[in-house]
Amino acid sequence: MQIHPHSEYEHITHRHSEEGLRRLLTRLIKKMQRDKLVRETMNQLRESLQVDRLILYYFYEQWQGQVTFESLSSQEFSILGSTGEDDCFNDNYAALYLAGRVRAIADIEIEPIETCHRDFLRSMQVRANLVVPILTPTGLWGLLAAHQCQETRLWSPLDIELMQTAARTLETSPYIIES
């Protein structure tokens, strides 16, 4: 039996490796395009709203998530990577956001909210917040939240509209839908 340096097995293995590399590169490019879209959308939105912090909270499991993107007025407000310990977010709250709930809180200290939620917001230096859902065909993908950290804020209809428009931009992007 004679063995050739470029046997059929080596050719199949090489072709399989190339296909795997091509798939990996395609996923990487899509992820980079998604990240660029999210970053640009968030930076423009934070500038328009003039808030201390704008975050994207991504759900990687049912109602378990992480702050995966943020746009900041000052680095001192960073909570990037925070998973939060808000045990108050459960099926009931998720159902509200799945139905399109927009939550605007002008002052967490006087808003009638659960104590655990107030403590959670305090731990992140939030004084006022505006939250809109990012809904994809598969469900609640994430939350887009604007935080005023240093003072209270009455959220205007325009603020809410800007947030909802940004959420729609993200949720209709093929980069988000496919992720």
Side-chain angles (χ1 to χ4, degrees):
M1 176 179 206
Q2 191 176 20
I3 298 177
H4 299 283
H6 295 291
S7 70
E8 186 176 328
Y9 174 75
E10 288 175 335
H11 178 69
I12 291 170
T13 303
H14 180 69
R15 188 178 51 199
H16 183 69
S17 295
E18 285 179 356
E19 289 172 13
L21 182 58
R22 220 179 346 264
R23 283 193 305 270
L24 176 66
L25 288 174
T26 300
R27 280 196 319 264
L28 181 60
I29 289 168
K30 286 181 179 180
K31 182 184 181 317
M32 290 171 61
Q33 290 169 327
R34 180 200 66 204
D35 291 358
K36 180 181 180 194
L37 171 68
V38 171
R39 217 174 2 269
E40 288 176 356
T41 301
M42 291 185 62
N43 286 336
Q44 290 173 7
L45 182 57
R46 191 190 58 74
E47 286 294 321
S48 295
L49 292 173
Q50 292 294 298
V51 292
D52 295 323
R53 175 175 56 221
L54 189 77
I55 64 163
L56 176 86
Y57 189 84
Y58 167 72
F59 291 106
Y60 51 81
E61 283 182 28
Q62 185 169 352
W63 322 143
Q64 299 295 311
Q66 180 176 20
V67 175
T68 55
F69 289 91
E70 65 183 1
S71 180
L72 308 167
S73 65
S74 173
Q75 196 59 37
E76 71 183 285
F77 299 124
S78 179
I79 59 170
L80 187 64
S82 172
T83 56
E85 298 178 22
D86 188 358
D87 295 329
C88 296
F89 195 88
N90 54 35
D91 289 339
N92 295 333
Y93 283 109
L96 293 171
Y97 285 110
L98 277 165
R101 175 191 197 181
V102 172
R103 183 73 161 124
I105 298 176
D107 184 353
I108 68 159
E109 299 303 330
I110 61 172
E111 187 74 16
I113 57 177
E114 298 285 333
T115 303
C116 62
H117 186 59
R118 185 182 330 277
D119 292 342
F120 172 68
L121 292 172
R122 282 179 185 150
S123 76
M124 295 187 308
Q125 301 173 299
V126 174
R127 185 62 192 264
N129 76 339
L130 173 58
V131 181
V132 299
I134 299 172
L135 300 166
T136 63
T138 58
L140 183 58
W141 188 83
L143 298 172
L144 192 57
H147 294 159
Q148 202 63 45
C149 301
Q150 300 177 18
E151 56 195 20
T152 62
R153 176 168 178 162
L154 289 173
W155 302 99
S156 73
L158 179 59
D159 295 336
I160 294 167
E161 184 180 330
L162 286 169
M163 288 282 286
Q164 290 175 314
T165 299
R168 275 192 301 277
T169 297
L170 296 175
E171 66 194 17
T172 58
S173 165
Y175 305 123
I176 299 293
I177 293 170
E178 295 171 9
S179 66

